[in-house]
Amino acid sequence: MSHCSGYSDPSSFAEDGPEVLDEEGTQEDLEYKLKGFIDLTLDKSAKTRQAALESIKNALASKMLYEFILERRMTLTDSIERCLKKGKSDEQRAAAALASVLCIQLGPGIESEEVLKTLGPILKKIICDGTASIQARQTCAACFGVCCFIATDDITELYSTLECLESIFTKSYLKEKDTNVICSTPNTVLHISCLLAWTLLLTICPINEVKKKLEMHFHKLPSLLSSDDVNMRIAAGESLALMFELARGMESDFFYEDMESLTQMLRALATDGNKHRAKVDKRKQRSVFRDILRAVEERDFPTETVKFGPERMYIDCWVKKHTYDTFKEVLGSGMQYHLQSNEFLRNVFELGPPVMLDAATLKTMKISRFERHLYNSAAFKARTKARSKCRDKRADVGEFF
């Protein structure tokens, strides 16, 4: 199969995406091509296997193929398992990413439970393996969190997953002998991934377990706000905001002992002017921490609106925001399509059954590549013109003085 011209370059599908097939081909063409990619996951070449995994992942992220996947679920799971066990870093990452999308396609049920039962122990082993690639461990941690969120039906397995993730990210906690700043290490990206996956799973825990976890981490997690890595500071801040939301949901008069010192730290990050930090990092951090500070101090959340097709969804709490961000990270540009068509995601976000649209309506909604290119070009020209005017004004003011 690897010598067949039709499948010799799996990356071509990853570049073009299913959009090309939608416009120029049929469902049968897509399925035929995917069958070829599934066969290529057994190829001798690691690069070919990786490209095939990525192509299947891209297709599943962009189109609902439940029936097709259901028939080949065991074959796909075996391929992912083999690539996770025997592959190197990039191949393991591609396999873990595909596992996440596979579970999103299948939704909760016996099929996804079987996928998790097969892949869960391998993912856990890679996450905890200090000799494995950091990037592979990071992707496996994110995958483990998503798959458990969807498929786990065993409460003890959920608790075991939480403990596995905790054992990793708590290594970043400030130790008594440390200074006031936590210095980032190559493992920081792994710790961030584990923290975000742990936070996602916390949202589906029973109340008693949530209380236990809050008691364990409420007074240690703020130490991560002093990390010199901006992404770690943001991940810790957003996790804290979500934890406050959960705590107040259980007890409306919830009292946090170190509120004053925490709000001081959050306010400092929301107004950070540290010259040693990059401008982009400071801008990103200040924006996020303004929202986090409002959540902790005033119990307020700035509602966001997500539009997809003729529908819209309001993200009005930290739990929903974190869940949306997690699935957006996995599905990328396919998130809007899945919000429209994927029953599992629609249930998660309480959107009701999928809205049925006729072909004429769908055609009017779809923008061609050429139209999108024209729109982006016009927007770019407008921005450039506005910037030029702004620069001219600044120059005039400078000459005046």
Side-chain angles (χ1 to χ4, degrees):
M1 185 66 82
S2 62
H3 300 293
C4 176
S5 61
Y7 302 122
S8 59
D9 184 17
S11 62
S12 64
F13 183 80
E15 290 166 7
D16 295 339
E19 186 177 352
V20 175
L21 287 162
D22 288 344
E23 292 171 359
E24 300 169 6
T26 63
Q27 180 77 11
E28 287 75 20
D29 293 332
L30 173 58
E31 292 184 2
Y32 177 73
K33 207 165 188 181
L34 282 173
K35 286 174 191 173
F37 293 142
I38 291 171
D39 290 337
L40 285 180
T41 59
L42 303 173
D43 197 85
K44 288 182 180 180
S45 163
K47 283 189 176 180
T48 301
R49 291 196 305 272
Q50 181 190 332
L53 291 166
E54 289 171 352
S55 295
I56 299 167
K57 183 258 179 184
N58 288 338
L60 300 190
S62 307
K63 198 171 184 67
M64 281 302 297
L65 295 161
Y66 180 79
E67 296 298 332
F68 178 85
I69 291 303
L70 201 58
E71 291 174 14
R72 296 161 182 80
R73 189 253 310 166
M74 292 181 70
T75 306
L76 273 171
T77 306
D78 289 344
S79 293
I80 294 168
E81 180 183 10
R82 194 178 300 104
C83 294
L84 284 173
K85 281 182 175 178
K86 298 183 178 180
K88 302 296 182 185
S89 175
D90 289 341
E91 188 177 342
Q92 287 177 319
R93 292 179 72 190
L98 174 56
S100 298
V101 184
L102 177 61
C103 282
I104 292 172
Q105 282 267 349
L106 292 171
I110 295 170
E111 290 79 15
S112 56
E113 286 171 27
E114 289 295 327
V115 172
L116 182 60
K117 198 177 290 183
T118 303
L119 302 180
I122 305 164
L123 291 168
K124 191 180 289 188
K125 185 179 178 182
I126 295 171
I127 293 165
C128 299
D129 182 1
T131 63
S133 145
I134 290 295
Q135 289 75 22
R137 294 171 72 192
Q138 176 193 6
T139 307
C140 285
C143 167
F144 202 21
V146 168
C147 292
C148 281
F149 181 87
I150 297 167
T152 191
D153 193 40
D154 183 353
I155 201 73
T156 56
E157 185 60 37
L158 174 61
Y159 295 165
S160 170
T161 305
L162 285 167
E163 286 170 11
C164 168
L165 296 169
E166 280 173 339
S167 70
I168 304 294
F169 77 77
T170 52
K171 290 175 183 175
S172 275
Y173 280 171
L174 193 67
K175 310 294 187 295
E176 289 181 10
K177 61 181 180 180
D178 288 342
T179 59
N180 290 329
V181 177
I182 297 174
C183 295
S184 59
T185 68
N187 288 332
T188 299
V189 290
L190 169 64
H191 295 179
I192 293 168
S193 193
C194 287
L195 172 59
L196 294 174
W198 177 87
T199 305
L200 177 71
L201 294 180
L202 191 65
T203 65
I204 60 170
C205 282
I207 288 176
N208 289 340
E209 186 66 16
V210 173
K211 285 181 178 178
K212 194 190 298 181
K213 295 299 181 186
L214 293 184
E215 286 174 12
M216 283 175 60
H217 296 279
F218 243 144
H219 299 287
K220 295 177 182 178
L221 194 59
S223 68
L224 299 182
L225 297 174
S226 62
S227 170
D228 63 359
D229 185 291
V230 65
N231 293 315
M232 174 59 91
R233 293 195 297 273
I234 289 172
E238 292 186 338
S239 294
L240 275 168
L242 186 145
M243 288 164 69
F244 267 95
E245 187 172 273
L246 292 176
R248 286 163 174 166
M250 292 183 292
E251 300 173 24
S252 58
D253 57 348
F254 170 75
F255 176 74
Y256 183 69
E257 291 176 3
D258 300 326
M259 182 63 92
E260 189 175 342
S261 62
L262 177 62
T263 51
Q264 282 179 358
M265 199 180 294
L266 293 174
R267 192 171 287 108
L269 290 167
T271 56
D272 190 4
N274 194 326
K275 291 181 180 178
H276 300 291
R277 287 177 181 157
K279 283 184 179 181
V280 176
D281 287 353
K282 283 190 287 188
R283 196 177 300 120
K284 179 182 175 184
Q285 175 186 288
R286 286 197 293 257
S287 172
V288 172
F289 275 95
R290 280 195 293 270
D291 293 339
I292 294 169
L293 181 63
R294 281 170 60 188
V296 172
E297 271 193 326
E298 304 169 25
R299 305 184 179 214
D300 190 23
F301 182 87
T303 302
E304 300 173 24
T305 305
V306 177
K307 295 179 182 177
F308 47 100
E311 301 176 85
R312 62 183 61 196
M313 176 177 76
Y314 298 101
I315 299 177
D316 52 7
C317 64
W318 285 98
V319 170
K320 192 179 274 191
K321 181 187 186 315
H322 187 67
T323 308
Y324 175 81
D325 288 347
T326 300
F327 285 101
K328 179 80 162 55
E329 185 69 27
V330 176
L331 295 168
S333 59
M335 182 65 175
Q336 289 193 339
Y337 176 84
H338 276 265
L339 283 174
Q340 284 181 274
S341 311
N342 189 314
E343 288 189 20
F344 158 66
L345 277 186
R346 291 185 70 85
N347 285 336
V348 168
F349 295 108
E350 301 174 333
L351 296 169
V355 177
M356 301 302 291
L357 299 172
D358 57 68
T361 309
L362 283 170
K363 196 169 183 180
T364 57
M365 285 164 48
K366 190 164 185 176
I367 303 173
S368 71
R369 283 187 175 183
F370 180 65
E371 288 174 313
R372 193 159 56 235
H373 174 71
L374 289 178
Y375 175 81
N376 290 338
S377 298
F380 177 75
K381 285 177 184 175
R383 285 197 301 272
T384 307
K385 197 172 181 181
R387 283 186 193 130
S388 299
K389 283 184 180 179
C390 189
R391 288 194 193 103
D392 292 343
K393 285 179 183 177
R394 286 203 298 268
D396 291 344
V397 170
E399 287 171 13
F400 179 78
F401 285 106

